[in-house]
């Protein structure tokens, strides 16, 4: 069900037909795809670990995508499986040129279509499977109130919030770190790395910068 990124030559033919000039970044992204993973990995869960999903807001801007991705990386360990989940489809992510370029330039592992291997997408979520995970929980980044679609799976399971928007007090049971005068949620994620005394890899450092 995954679409391979088109080659630069195919892009040129397609764009020529519409008389629209091709963007250099599109060719760069297509060329980079040749050295990436052949196909997107399946969303699977480790029964020996507790699943904690990190999810950004439904707009899925770069701050949301990166903060959720980095938080999932921080959480992932022997007892917890950190899962980064974007509230958009894989197809829509592939239209986000800024996000594609950032993850590519950071050197994270990519699928052949340019999407990060360790980022899951909403259109690939099996609600029944996730709902069967009895110990599942959720970390919200870049927003502090679950969307309706997330609440269908994670109602009452928000354990942590990292956000810089106005506090809606929607999840009083959660550990909330909401600083409204910050410019991005990524700053709060970086602080989590510092608190846990966890080194930030070069790839994550590029994403979070």
């Amino acid at each position: 069900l995954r679409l391979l990124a088109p080659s630069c030559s195919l892009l040129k033919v397609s764009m020529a037909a519409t008389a629209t000039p091709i963007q250099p970044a599109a060719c760069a992204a297509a060329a980079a795809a040749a050295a990436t993973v052949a196909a997107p990995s399946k969303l699977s869960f480790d029964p020996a670990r507790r699943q904690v999903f990190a999810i950004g807001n439904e707009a899925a801007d770069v701050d949301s995508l990166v903060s959720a991705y980095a938080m999932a990386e921080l959480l992932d360990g022997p007892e917890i499986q950190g899962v980064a989940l974007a509230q958009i489809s894989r197809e829509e992510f592939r239209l986000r040129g800024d996000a594609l370029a950032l993850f590519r330039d950071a050197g994270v592992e990519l699928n052949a279509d340019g999407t990060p291997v360790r980022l899951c997408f909403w259109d690939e979520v099996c609600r029944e499977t996730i709902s069967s995970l009895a110990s599942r929980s959720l970390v919200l980044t870049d927003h502090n109130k679950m969307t309706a679609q997330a609440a269908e799976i994670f109602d009452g399971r928000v354990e942590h919030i990292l956000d810089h928007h106005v506090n809606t007090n929607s999840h009083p049971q959660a550990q909330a770190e909401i600083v409204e005068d910050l410019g991005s949620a990524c700053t709060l994620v970086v602080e989590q790395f510092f608190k846990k005394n966890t080194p930030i890899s070069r790839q994550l450092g590029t994403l979070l910068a």
Side-chain angles (χ1 to χ4, degrees), residues 22-196:
I22 189 168
Q23 298 299 318
C27 267
T36 58
V37 177
S41 58
K42 300 289 186 180
L43 182 60
S44 59
F45 304 112
D46 181 355
R49 296 186 289 170
R50 180 171 75 89
Q51 283 70 39
V52 180
F53 294 79
I55 183 171
N57 65 40
E58 60 186 336
D61 57 22
V62 168
D63 190 31
S64 275
L65 292 167
V66 170
S67 58
Y69 182 90
M71 195 61 192
E73 291 287 303
L74 175 61
L75 291 167
D76 198 62
E79 298 181 358
I80 293 176
Q81 180 181 7
V83 182
L85 181 57
Q87 294 198 75
I88 56 173
S89 67
R90 187 178 296 272
E91 179 78 15
E92 185 173 348
F93 180 89
R94 293 178 62 233
L95 301 176
R96 307 287 180 94
D98 55 347
L100 281 171
L102 178 59
F103 279 93
R104 181 193 68 228
D105 293 345
V108 303
E109 188 178 12
L110 301 176
N111 294 301
D113 62 358
T115 58
V117 168
R118 291 179 61 83
L119 181 61
C120 304
F121 296 92
W122 199 259
D123 60 324
E124 297 164 354
V125 166
C126 176
R127 289 165 174 77
E128 292 75 15
T129 299
I130 295 180
S131 296
S132 70
L133 302 171
S135 61
R136 70 190 182 281
S137 63
L138 189 66
V139 175
L140 301 179
T141 71
D142 204 28
H143 66 310
N144 58 78
K145 180 180 180 180
M146 271 193 298
T147 58
Q149 63 181 4
E152 291 178 0
I153 307 174
F154 298 103
D155 188 35
R157 295 178 180 270
V158 177
E159 69 173 43
H160 201 175
I161 300 171
L162 299 166
D163 189 29
H164 63 115
H165 298 98
V166 174
N167 191 354
T168 63
N169 297 302
S170 298
H171 307 288
Q173 82 284 359
Q175 175 187 349
E177 299 183 48
I178 301 173
V179 185
E180 296 175 19
D181 59 352
L182 281 181
S184 75
C186 285
T187 300
L188 293 169
V189 174
V190 170
E191 291 179 356
Q192 295 301 304
F193 277 85
F194 291 161
K195 287 179 181 179
K196 294 179 180 293

